[in-house]
Amino acid sequence: MKIISLGEVLWDIVGDQEHLGGAPLNFAVNARRLGHEVFFVSAVGDDERGNRILSRMSELGLSSRYVRRAANLPTGTVSVTLDRAGQPSYVIHRPAAYDVPALDEDQAGLESLLSPPPDWIYYGTLQNLSPASYDALLNVLAAAPAARRFYDVNLRRDSHHPALLRDLLRHASVLKLNDGEVGDLRGALGIRAGSLEQFCRDCAAAFHLETVCVTRGAEGCVLLSKDYVESPGYRVPVADAIGAGDAFSAALVHGIGAAWPAEKIADFANRVGALVAGRPGGTPEWSIQEALALERSAPHKYNHC
């Protein structure tokens, strides 16, 4: 499939180490590992960190054609703190280059990006708090009306508001979030409290979504498509959970695009997410064979975001 991923690329700073990150970039890397043609749209600063991102993207086989060099803004960074279970908390440093992505004024670039038309467009919340980024997303969505739209909520503190969440949802075909974000969406959307299944059904009905997925940390995920399933997670020694949810999203798109049954989609996404949680950084190496070799056992130790 042809997939366009729009959003932030940055360095996750964990202690004295820097890991390539940003949910849309992590997603793009993992979607490419699953065999898809992926185009990433973002921006980096004209600085050393930006140089390293472009070099690393080349090593990962991702084109940087649609990654702008922003002369007056620094490459994005996030300070990450891990708790005892390997779960991250974030301090996002803005303004950052990814707030002014390519394609905001480049019609020729937009036309080349969309030829041939994409099968999927992926986006999140963080970057779209920037008006320039949101305009770029809307331009891409309007120019590719047949593409399915994957919205990975991925909320970060002080980087969202109810109107933005509602607007982004109106454009989505598939919604993915974690169970910690359910309360935020309930409040933003006016959805009453109830079971996760009812939440998924309410979201799907309100926004005409084909699929809704809620990840549940150690418990795996729930998935509503043609059927509703609850899929348990996999036990792994957690290195950190950075990027695990993004790998999960890539596997989810892979399974939905292949028209697998809901149970198979959810199980495969749980496997890929767990594998990445067991390795440091947002874009560690992994293979499909390794994911399929995981065995489920209790108690679960994997918490993806």
Side-chain angles (χ1 to χ4, degrees), residues 54-285:
L54 298 180
S55 176
R56 184 69 180 128
M57 285 181 64
S58 177
E59 293 171 2
L60 292 166
L62 276 181
S63 170
S64 59
R65 178 177 179 181
Y66 301 103
V67 178
R68 164 179 289 172
R69 298 300 295 259
N72 299 317
L73 289 169
T75 296
T77 58
V78 174
S79 298
V80 183
T81 303
L82 301 175
D83 66 18
R84 296 179 65 181
Q87 298 305 301
S89 59
Y90 304 91
V91 176
I92 300 166
H93 305 291
R94 295 174 97 165
Y98 59 73
D99 286 321
V100 288
L103 304 180
D104 56 347
E105 297 177 353
D106 186 356
Q107 187 62 32
L110 179 61
E111 291 173 357
S112 68
L113 177 67
L114 299 174
S115 180
D119 299 290
W120 286 91
I121 297 170
Y122 168 101
Y123 60 92
T125 304
L126 174 62
Q127 189 196 41
N128 289 301
L129 197 63
S130 156
S133 297
Y134 194 33
D135 287 345
L137 171 64
L138 294 181
N139 287 339
V140 172
L141 295 176
R148 296 158 100 174
R149 291 93 180 273
F150 187 100
Y151 176 31
D152 189 351
V153 173
N154 238 336
L155 298 183
R156 297 291 179 257
R157 187 179 61 189
D158 300 325
S159 297
H160 60 88
H161 55 78
L164 177 63
L165 297 179
R166 291 192 296 269
D167 287 345
L168 292 171
L169 258 171
R170 290 187 185 104
H171 296 289
S173 308
V174 176
L175 169 66
K176 178 256 180 182
L177 68 162
N178 66 43
D179 52 0
E181 295 164 336
V182 168
D184 292 280
L185 256 69
R186 285 194 202 278
L189 307 178
I191 293 176
R192 68 184 187 279
S195 67
L196 279 183
E197 178 177 359
Q198 191 59 53
F199 170 82
C200 292
R201 294 191 183 280
D202 288 346
C203 282
F207 292 92
H208 310 289
L209 301 167
E210 66 173 80
T211 302
V212 179
C213 182
V214 180
T215 61
R216 304 172 63 202
E219 302 303 317
C221 71
V222 301
L223 178 69
L224 173 68
S225 54
K226 292 180 180 178
D227 301 304
Y228 176 81
V229 299
E230 298 183 1
S231 181
Y234 286 82
R235 177 179 178 176
V236 297
V238 175
D240 62 58
I242 301 170
D246 310 321
F248 179 101
S249 294
L252 198 63
V253 166
H254 182 78
I256 294 170
W260 290 348
E263 186 173 351
K264 182 177 179 180
I265 295 170
D267 179 70
F268 181 65
N270 281 336
R271 288 173 178 273
V272 172
L275 201 61
V276 171
R279 299 174 184 184
T283 55
E285 295 286 342

